[in-house]
Amino acid sequence: MNPPSHFSLLVVDDEPDLRTLYELTLLREGYDIETAGTVEDAKLHLKDRVYSAVITDMRLPDGTGLELLRWLEDNGRREKAIVITAYGSAENAVEALKAGAYDYLTKPVDLKQFRAVVASSLGRGPATVPTMVPSSLPKELAAVSAPTPSAQPESASHQAAALAAVVNAARASKIAPPAAAAIPESAALRRMAGDSPSMQQVRELIEKVARSMAPVLVSGESGTGKELVARAIHEVSPRHAQPFIAVNCSAIPEQLLEAEFFGYRKGAFTGAMEDREGFFQAANGGTLFLDEIGELPLSMQSKLLRAIQERSVRPVGAMNELSVNVRLLSATHKDLGAEVQAGQFRQDLYYRLNVIQICVPPLRERTVDLRLISERVLERIARDANVLPAPILTRDALVHLARYPFPGNVRELENLLHRAVALTGGETIDVFDLGLPEAVFTDTAAQELDLITSNTRFDVASLESLAAPAPAQLPPASFAASEPTLPDDLARHLDDVERDILVRALEHYRYNRTAAGASLGLSLRQMRYRMARLSVTVGGDGFDA
């Protein structure tokens, strides 16, 4: 089968009137249309031809639209799928998106929205969809298929009856639309350095979810690159030529959230001197990325939920709602499931946002990528500062970084390397240039480092082992020997043992609490907490790194 030279669509619905309505609406847009009434009939069409997209009702006489979606997936077909569900059936909509649907529509179908969703699935932005009725179309079809100014859904059965008489004339008046633009290589994907299995899985998910309109929730610790993932999804999607609007929900005052999200009209409140569009209108046709979505107050969550469900927004001070066509991506460092249980996040909004989840791993769990990430960051820093060639990390510096837990993840690594480049001014960056405590390296670590710095492939497990804290170079603990008698106060006995270990670790590392804590597998915060609890004041406060 040869791919079609222009856009061809297969419409699957068991109601003849609705098939006629959908067919005529899409014929006016210049698409080549074929129809089917059952799942089996649709499969027969698909076996004979490759389509640009498949539009299917959810409930069919011999099955469901989900069965057709699974058939497309199992056979490796690349047709975009749009599912039409019963009004208010959110569960069916979510299930369809998880099954690979590009988007879904609810009955009764708003034909204006119907045309926009189909155009978006084919990579035709709003500007490329014809807005003028071609002179070659019959006047009867032009009158009933032109976009309506009202936001109310058009009556399907009434229009289908009025249009039935002009089906044949409309089929003879098809317009060949322009070919879809090729999707460029994503700059955000190129910036996502790393060959670890976890990052390969993230890339695969990005390429899969980019094809659909399914909402995506990107989760991960602060500094892992959640916005970079969202940008990559947008850049490899059919919406890449449309706007990408990123919003930090935690940075907007609560009293301004509604105006910022939905816009406002002149005179709506003091200081509203002119009409202004909100984030949804600015992202119309493209992607809206809501970072730190878990920080939204409950009052705003309900308004956001309505905007997502109705695909329309009401600017502050306006009487009517405005339809918007937006792909929604969100991100959070919180556990939204736990927030729902605590009553801090709406459960219905959580299910709407969390159709597909992408978890970005922390840097400490993919230290195998550390060398490549560091090289990319240093190259970018050197290019921005016009410092060539870019400095490189020494063997000891790289092993030192691999043992550091990086609570700030990639963002912390970038800041650390930026400071090192500014302060060293040389061609290499060593351990002391990083500003972190010097580590004690074992012979095994030095051998593993040869794998890191070589150009050959290396074992992931061998490098990840470097992330474990270095063993403390301490004398054998006195408590290792068996006690002749059991302690009469276990808690006090354990405190004494822990206090002794902390004191000797501090003495060994010359009272540097960061280095002493790292040797025991503790962060600086944990070390300070234990010292305060056990009243350990050896060395004073002036020796901290």
Side-chain angles (χ1 to χ4, degrees), residues 19-30:
R19 282 204 307 270
T20 301
L21 175 61
Y22 301 151
E23 181 179 8
L24 291 172
T25 300
L26 296 171
L27 283 170
R28 176 192 172 272
E29 300 298 306

Side-chain angles (χ1 to χ4, degrees), residues 14-232:
D14 60 327
E15 297 185 39
D17 288 348
L18 288 179
R19 282 204 307 270
T20 301
L21 175 61
Y22 301 151
E23 181 179 8
L24 291 172
T25 300
L26 296 171
L27 283 170
R28 176 192 172 272
E29 300 298 306
Y31 303 121
D32 182 12
I33 308 299
E34 292 187 7
T35 62
T38 64
V39 173
E40 289 303 318
D41 191 15
K43 290 179 181 178
L44 292 175
H45 280 78
L46 289 163
K47 289 178 181 178
D48 294 334
R49 183 175 182 182
V50 173
Y51 296 90
S52 304
V54 176
I55 304 165
T56 178
D57 193 12
M58 178 64 79
R59 300 182 65 178
L60 296 166
D62 59 342
T64 67
L66 294 178
E67 295 178 21
L68 195 55
L69 263 62
R70 295 189 186 102
W71 186 90
L72 292 171
E73 185 73 20
D74 293 341
N75 287 272
R77 301 293 290 257
R78 300 188 63 84
E79 286 93 343
K80 297 291 179 62
I82 299 171
V83 176
I84 300 175
T85 71
Y87 177 76
S89 179
E91 295 80 6
N92 285 343
V94 170
E95 191 175 0
L97 292 172
K98 288 184 176 179
Y102 173 80
D103 204 349
Y104 70 93
L105 296 163
T106 55
K107 293 182 178 179
V109 175
D110 182 341
L111 295 183
K112 182 178 179 181
Q113 184 183 55
F114 179 63
R115 290 188 288 264
V117 169
V118 172
S120 175
S121 70
L122 301 174
R124 302 176 71 191
T128 64
V129 178
T131 57
M132 299 295 292
V133 178
S135 58
S136 58
L137 281 178
K139 294 181 179 179
E140 296 89 343
L141 177 59
V144 295
S145 62
T148 60
S150 172
Q152 300 297 323
E154 304 173 38
S155 172
S157 59
H158 175 74
Q159 291 196 30
L163 293 173
V166 293
V167 172
N168 294 331
R171 283 175 173 163
S173 305
K174 295 194 294 283
I175 308 164
I183 298 177
E185 185 181 1
S186 168
L189 269 179
R190 291 197 302 270
R191 286 185 58 189
M192 294 172 60
D195 297 321
S196 61
S198 57
M199 286 308 297
Q200 291 178 7
Q201 184 179 21
V202 168
R203 289 195 191 90
E204 291 173 1
L205 279 173
I206 288 173
E207 294 177 352
K208 283 184 177 180
V209 304
R211 298 176 298 180
S212 76
M213 273 285 289
V216 177
L217 177 64
V218 185
S219 61
E221 297 179 7
S222 178
T224 52
K226 296 186 291 294
E227 183 173 343
L228 198 62
V229 171
R231 287 187 179 275

Side-chain angles (χ1 to χ4, degrees), residues 25 41 60 67 75 129 200-201 226 232 236 267 272 276 300 339 350 359 387 390 401 420 493 520:
T25 300
D41 191 15
L60 296 166
E67 295 178 21
N75 287 272
V129 178
Q200 291 178 7
Q201 184 179 21
K226 296 186 291 294
V236 299
R276 180 180 173 183
M300 188 60 197
E339 293 290 301
Y350 173 67
C359 298
V387 177
L401 289 176
H493 175 74
L520 299 174

Side-chain angles (χ1 to χ4, degrees), residues 156-442:
S157 59
H158 175 74
Q159 291 196 30
L163 293 173
V166 293
V167 172
N168 294 331
R171 283 175 173 163
S173 305
K174 295 194 294 283
I175 308 164
I183 298 177
E185 185 181 1
S186 168
L189 269 179
R190 291 197 302 270
R191 286 185 58 189
M192 294 172 60
D195 297 321
S196 61
S198 57
M199 286 308 297
Q200 291 178 7
Q201 184 179 21
V202 168
R203 289 195 191 90
E204 291 173 1
L205 279 173
I206 288 173
E207 294 177 352
K208 283 184 177 180
V209 304
R211 298 176 298 180
S212 76
M213 273 285 289
V216 177
L217 177 64
V218 185
S219 61
E221 297 179 7
S222 178
T224 52
K226 296 186 291 294
E227 183 173 343
L228 198 62
V229 171
R231 287 187 179 275
I233 293 173
H234 172 75
E235 290 174 4
V236 299
S237 75
R239 294 173 173 253
H240 64 274
Q242 303 302 322
F244 175 87
I245 304 298
V247 180
N248 188 340
C249 298
S250 63
I252 305 174
E254 183 175 351
Q255 61 272 22
L256 297 179
L257 281 170
E258 186 175 2
E260 291 290 336
F261 272 73
F262 308 138
Y264 56 81
R265 292 290 177 260
K266 180 179 179 181
F269 50 83
T270 303
M273 306 302 295
E274 59 183 2
D275 291 353
R276 180 180 173 183
E277 65 179 15
F279 298 134
F280 273 87
Q281 295 97 314
N284 195 26
T287 302
L288 178 61
F289 172 57
L290 302 180
D291 197 8
E292 299 300 345
I293 189 71
E295 303 296 336
L296 279 182
L298 287 170
S299 59
M300 188 60 197
Q301 291 177 25
S302 62
K303 297 172 183 177
L304 176 62
L305 176 63
R306 174 173 174 79
I308 296 172
Q309 290 181 158
E310 302 301 326
R311 305 191 190 196
S312 61
V313 297
R314 187 193 304 275
V316 177
M319 296 297 295
N320 299 320
E321 292 187 338
L322 303 175
S323 297
V324 289
N325 174 19
V326 170
R327 170 77 182 277
L328 193 65
L329 309 176
S330 53
T332 181
H333 71 280
K334 293 185 174 181
D335 182 353
L336 288 190
E339 293 290 301
V340 170
Q341 295 297 325
Q344 299 299 316
F345 202 84
R346 290 181 63 106
Q347 187 178 47
D348 45 8
L349 178 59
Y350 173 67
Y351 289 138
R352 283 284 183 175
L353 298 175
N354 193 30
V355 175
I356 299 174
Q357 186 173 17
I358 298 179
C359 298
V360 187
L363 186 56
R364 63 180 173 275
E365 293 181 5
R366 56 184 188 104
T367 50
V368 67
D369 298 331
L370 192 59
R371 178 182 62 85
L372 185 56
I373 295 174
S374 299
E375 289 177 355
R376 295 274 188 90
V377 172
L378 288 172
E379 289 173 1
R380 186 169 70 251
I381 293 173
R383 184 170 60 251
D384 294 342
N386 198 24
V387 177
L388 296 175
I392 59 175
L393 291 168
T394 64
R395 297 173 67 255
D396 290 347
L398 190 55
V399 170
H400 197 59
L401 289 176
R403 287 175 174 166
Y404 183 64
F406 281 106
N409 293 293
V410 179
R411 183 185 294 121
E412 182 181 6
L413 175 63
E414 290 182 348
N415 293 342
L416 187 147
L417 293 178
H418 209 292
R419 180 181 64 185
V421 171
L423 295 180
T424 58
E427 296 183 356
T428 60
I429 296 176
D430 210 340
V431 172
F432 297 103
D433 300 323
L434 297 174
L436 295 174
E438 182 179 2
V440 178
F441 302 119
T442 64

